[in-house]
Amino acid sequence: MGGTCLSCSCWLEAHLHPLWCSPALPNTVPGMAGPALAQRGKALSPWRTLPVAGCLGPQAYNIHVNGVLHCRVRYSQLLGLHEQLRKEYGTNVVPAFPPKKIFTLTPAEVEQRREQLEKYMQAVRQDPTLGGSETFNSFLRKAQQETQQIPTEEVVLEVLLSNGQKVKVTILTSDQTEDVLEAVASKLDLPDDLVGYFSLFLVRETKDGAFSFVRKLQEFELPYVSVTSLHNPEFRIILRKSYWDSSYDDDVMEHRVGLNLLYAQTVSDIERGWILVNKEQHRQLKSLQEKVSKKEFIRLAQTLKYYGYLKFDPCVTDFPEKGCHVVVSAGNNELNFQVRLPNEQIKEGSFKVTRMRCWRVTSSVPMSNGPSGSSPAKSEVKLELAFEYLMSKDRLQWVTITSPQVGLPVC
C-alpha cells in the first residue's frame, strides 16, 4: 500500500499528509511513499507520521522508504539541510532543529536526539513549501546516491508499459523521477501536456507471473538507484496513468499515444483479473478488441467494477477479526478488501477515503546482530497501515493492515 511519508507511511504522494489530516485525497494513485526516519529495534510510535531511522553509530541515521533503506545521513548533514532551508525560507517558516551538544551523548540523549530529528523531518516534509522544495528533495536524492555508492554515469534504463513492451531510455544515474518520466514520454512521442497524467511506479513481478504494485516513485528519489539498489530482478519500473478520476480519460484519449497507453493498461488489468468481467461483458470487450475500437473498449471498461484500481501484495488485517489475510486494491477514492476468514470464506468490502478520520503508517526495523552500519534483514522489516474509520454515525474504529517490507497501499 503506498502513499508518501518520510518513510512510506502514508503514501508519499506529491506531498506528505499530516497524521491528523483531512481524509480528502488528491487525484493521485496510491502507492506513493516518502522517506521516513526509522529506528532499529523499535516500532514507530502510533502517533508519528514517519518511521524514524535508526542510529547506526555516532549520530548516524537510516532513512527508509517503505521499509527499504533509502539513504544514511549524519547529524551534521541534517544540520546543513536545516541551515540551507533557513537561509532560503527564514527562521519563521523552518521548524526548530535539535541543538548541538558539546560532550559525547549518552544512550538516552542519543535516543532523545533521534526522536527530535524525526519530529523535525516530519514537520519539514508536511510543510507544503519546505516539503516540496528542491532543497529538501535534492538533499534526499544526493544522500540516496551517496549511500548506495552509485556514481553518476550514463546508463540505459528499461521501463515497462502495461502491455509488456519495454521502453529503453538513456539517462544519468543521477536523474530524478521527473527527468526519467520525461525521457520515457519523449521516447513514446507523448505530448508534453499529457505527461502529467502519467507516473512511474515500482512494481514486483515474480517468476510465477504474480504482479503487484509497490509504490509510486517520488520527487525525492532517483529511479535508477531506487530499483537497482534492491538487487532483485523482480522489481521493475512501469509507466501507468496517475489519477483516480476516470473523467480525465477523455483528455488522454484525445491523442493517439495517450489512447494507446490507456488501452494497453485497460486490457492488461482485465487480463490480470483486476477488473471484474462477466461472460456477456467479456464477449462485448472481445468484439471491440477485434474491431480495434479502442475508445469504445475503454468506455465499456469504465463501467466495470475495479476499473482503474491498483492491486497490492497480500497482507494481514485485524478486520473483521485479527489475523485475516487480505488482498487490498485501491482506486475510486476507496480501499477494497478481499478478506479470507479463518473458515476459508472470502468476504469483500470497501472503505471510502472520505470516511477515514485519520491514518498513520509505521514501520519496525529489527535490531541487527551485524557490525555497526549494517542494514537490517529486509525480510524482517514490516509496515503497518492503520486508519480510523467511521463505521456508522457514532462509531469510529481503527482498521490495521500489516505487510512485510514493501507493498502497503498508501493513500
Side-chain angles (χ1 to χ4, degrees):
M1 318 170 205
T4 144
C5 60
L6 265 204
S7 153
C8 213
S9 348
C10 14
W11 309 121
L12 190 68
E13 306 161 334
H15 59 86
L16 181 67
H17 296 289
L19 182 58
W20 294 101
C21 61
S22 164
L25 295 182
N27 264 320
T28 50
V29 180
M32 317 186 180
L37 288 176
Q39 179 181 27
R40 292 187 183 179
K42 182 175 182 179
L44 179 64
S45 161
W47 307 117
R48 300 174 186 167
T49 308
L50 310 177
V52 194
C55 187
L56 297 173
Q59 301 177 352
Y61 305 88
N62 282 340
I63 293 181
H64 288 80
V65 173
N66 268 22
V68 176
L69 179 66
H70 177 80
C71 62
R72 183 172 298 123
V73 296
R74 294 191 173 275
Y75 173 87
S76 58
Q77 292 173 287
L78 294 173
L79 177 59
L81 169 64
H82 170 71
E83 292 174 343
Q84 184 62 32
L85 289 173
R86 284 187 59 182
K87 180 179 179 181
E88 293 183 22
Y89 299 99
T91 56
N92 293 332
V93 176
V94 182
F97 191 81
K100 291 182 179 179
K101 299 286 185 178
I102 298 177
F103 302 105
T104 302
L105 300 180
T106 65
E109 289 173 328
V110 169
E111 169 60 13
Q112 181 185 46
R113 171 174 283 182
R114 184 198 63 76
E115 292 178 350
Q116 292 172 340
L117 288 171
E118 175 187 36
K119 291 178 180 178
Y120 173 82
M121 292 294 281
Q122 288 183 34
V124 170
R125 183 61 200 174
Q126 292 173 10
D127 183 281
T129 300
L130 302 177
S133 69
E134 178 59 19
T135 298
F136 182 73
N137 290 320
S138 62
F139 170 83
L140 290 173
R141 292 195 297 265
K142 181 180 178 182
Q144 180 189 27
Q145 186 175 9
E146 291 177 346
T147 299
Q148 302 300 341
Q149 298 182 331
I150 295 179
T152 297
E153 59 185 358
E154 196 173 82
V155 294
V156 174
L157 178 66
E158 197 172 79
V159 176
L160 297 179
L161 302 183
S162 295
N163 60 4
Q165 179 183 342
K166 299 173 183 177
V167 179
K168 294 183 178 181
V169 291
T170 300
I171 62 168
L172 294 177
T173 54
S174 57
D175 279 346
Q176 62 194 69
T177 302
E178 182 181 2
D179 297 331
V180 177
L181 175 61
E182 291 177 352
V184 175
S186 176
K187 193 73 176 285
L188 295 171
D189 290 326
L190 183 68
D192 292 343
D193 60 342
L194 291 185
V195 175
Y197 289 87
F198 293 87
S199 292
L200 299 176
F201 293 84
L202 185 65
V203 298
R204 185 172 189 176
E205 186 170 18
T206 58
K207 293 179 179 178
D208 59 6
F211 188 95
S212 60
F213 284 84
V214 177
R215 60 185 173 82
K216 178 181 176 181
L217 294 178
Q218 296 301 306
E219 70 274 17
F220 59 77
E221 63 185 312
L222 310 176
Y224 179 84
V225 177
S226 293
V227 69
T228 57
S229 63
L230 292 171
H231 304 294
N232 187 336
E234 292 182 351
F235 290 96
R236 311 289 295 276
I237 294 176
I238 192 171
L239 178 75
R240 282 180 64 98
K241 69 178 187 179
S242 60
Y243 53 87
W244 271 354
D245 189 344
S246 60
S247 66
Y248 290 127
D249 288 349
D250 292 339
D251 298 334
V252 175
M253 290 191 292
E254 285 303 309
H255 190 273
R256 174 185 56 82
V257 177
L259 173 62
N260 288 338
L261 289 172
L262 190 57
Y263 175 74
Q265 178 177 318
T266 306
V267 171
S268 173
D269 289 357
I270 291 175
E271 291 177 345
R272 294 183 187 280
W274 293 0
I275 299 175
L276 296 189
V277 181
N278 61 34
K279 289 185 178 180
E280 175 57 24
Q281 292 164 341
H282 185 272
R283 184 192 66 76
Q284 295 177 38
L285 289 168
K286 186 176 181 180
S287 175
L288 291 172
Q289 226 175 338
E290 291 173 348
K291 297 176 183 177
V292 197
S293 301
K294 297 181 180 180
K295 285 188 178 182
E296 291 75 11
F297 183 96
I298 294 172
R299 297 287 186 209
L300 176 56
Q302 289 173 336
T303 67
L304 305 180
K305 193 171 184 179
Y306 304 139
Y307 172 79
Y309 282 57
L310 294 182
K311 191 173 183 179
F312 297 87
D313 277 337
C315 306
V316 176
T317 181
D318 61 358
F319 183 86
E321 52 188 289
K322 289 185 177 180
C324 290
H325 291 271
V326 60
V327 173
V328 181
S329 299
N332 194 28
N333 288 318
E334 69 177 18
L335 293 182
N336 175 266
F337 277 31
Q338 294 183 38
V339 181
R340 183 180 296 277
L341 301 175
N343 62 4
E344 295 303 308
Q345 181 182 359
I346 301 296
K347 186 173 183 179
E348 183 179 350
S350 296
F351 296 92
K352 296 292 184 181
V353 168
T354 52
R355 295 174 67 89
M356 294 181 188
R357 178 171 177 262
C358 65
W359 58 89
R360 62 173 182 255
V361 181
T362 59
S363 68
S364 61
V365 186
M367 292 295 291
S368 171
N369 294 324
S372 175
S374 60
S375 300
K378 292 182 180 178
S379 60
E380 296 175 341
V381 178
K382 291 186 178 180
L383 290 179
E384 179 181 283
L385 166 66
F387 55 89
E388 192 174 26
Y389 195 77
L390 185 62
M391 296 292 181
S392 58
K393 183 178 180 181
D394 300 312
R395 186 168 73 91
L396 286 164
Q397 180 178 334
W398 280 97
V399 177
T400 301
I401 313 167
T402 304
S403 171
Q405 198 174 322
V406 294
L408 264 183
V410 188
C411 309

